[in-house]
Amino acid sequence: MTDFVFTPPPQASVAMAGEAARFPVRRIFCVGRNYAAHAREMGKDPDREPPFFFTKPADAVVDSGATIPYPPETANFHYEIELIVAIGGGGADIRPEAALDHVFAYGVGIDLTRRDLQFEARDKGRPWDWGKAFDRSAPIAPLHRVANVGHPAKGRIWLAVNGAVKQDADLAELIWPVPDIISILSRSMTIRPGDLIMTGTPAGVGAIVPGDKVTGGIEGLGEIAIAIAPR
Ligand code: MN
């Protein structure tokens, strides 16, 4: 046993659907602009750019059902519904044909974003962390084992604010599907068990404010719900 100068922080984790045991989170990788219509609404050409990544800290995860305080230093707080890929294998230079063997589970998550800080960083050539990697920025619903749901390559992905549908697309619209994302990511980083990948959001992102109830889901992978509270 290693001695520590103080008690280490608790292991970040995500619930598993129908199981008491939780999925331990190591890192959170996020794909930018992975649906063409969303790339366009962000003012970018979806056809010209290879996928790029940013990260969130593992302890940004929040369970579905949480009430999340409106975060500090923003006046433009956005939702982004996303397919979550939970890695149970790992390695470097994984071929696309072998990539799905490394997936343990799938789920539904929301990439909460301080859009004003993200755009300021983007436009000044600065890191995205302050726009993306803040406290409680990764609510994630219970994950479903591959053994139970297979590898969803299509199916409705949607998000609603106070019951009004804002995002409504299909996983088949992903520019870079899951095997490509894993393969490309693994060329730059050795992927490890516990890593999560947020695969990008479809069009229709927008702002939320205190009092809003945000719901969303992916066909076959259940639903997520969060509430936004005052700062
Ligand atoms: Mn996103």
Side-chain angles (χ1 to χ4, degrees):
M1 282 284 285
T2 306
D3 277 332
F4 295 103
V5 295
F6 56 83
T7 304
Q11 170 66 52
S13 65
V14 176
M16 294 293 305
E19 303 184 47
R22 295 175 64 87
F23 181 90
V25 180
R26 184 167 188 270
R27 294 174 292 187
I28 306 173
F29 297 104
C30 308
V31 184
R33 293 176 212 135
N34 205 11
Y35 292 79
H38 173 63
R40 282 186 212 102
E41 77 180 349
M42 292 288 108
K44 300 294 177 183
D45 179 351
D47 299 324
R48 296 179 55 186
E49 297 183 49
F52 66 93
F53 297 87
F54 58 91
T55 62
K56 293 175 186 269
D59 66 0
V61 294
V62 179
D63 283 340
S64 181
T67 295
I68 297 175
Y70 197 92
E73 306 228 290
T74 184
N76 197 16
F77 182 39
H78 276 211
Y79 55 79
E80 296 187 353
I81 192 75
E82 309 207 359
L83 169 70
I84 305 293
V85 178
I87 300 295
D93 296 320
I94 297 167
R95 290 173 298 110
E97 309 80 56
L100 294 182
D101 296 342
H102 299 272
V103 180
F104 180 83
Y106 292 95
V108 184
I110 304 175
D111 169 13
L112 290 173
T113 301
R114 295 191 287 205
R115 191 72 70 198
D116 40 4
L117 300 192
Q118 181 206 3
F119 280 175
E120 182 183 3
R122 184 183 82 177
D123 296 344
K124 291 181 176 173
R126 291 175 179 168
W128 281 20
D129 304 47
W130 261 226
K132 288 289 194 178
F134 52 95
D135 298 341
R136 295 180 286 267
S137 60
I140 296 178
L143 302 174
H144 296 260
R145 287 178 181 250
V146 167
N148 297 331
V149 296
H151 296 283
K154 59 181 171 58
R156 185 184 182 218
I157 177 170
W158 61 276
L159 179 140
V161 180
N162 304 321
V165 174
K166 304 289 188 181
Q167 294 186 278
D168 198 349
D170 195 287
L171 294 181
E173 297 169 41
L174 281 167
I175 296 171
W176 299 93
V178 174
D180 293 299
I181 294 168
I182 292 172
S183 180
I184 292 166
L185 181 57
S186 75
R187 287 185 216 151
S188 292
M189 304 270 187
T190 301
I191 294 172
R192 297 289 187 197
D195 288 340
L196 295 177
I197 304 171
M198 305 188 82
T199 55
T201 199
V205 301
I208 39 180
V209 296
D212 281 346
K213 302 264 192 283
V214 182
T215 52
I218 296 175
E219 191 179 334
L221 297 178
E223 298 190 1
I224 189 168
I226 57 169
I228 309 303
R231 183 173 290 170

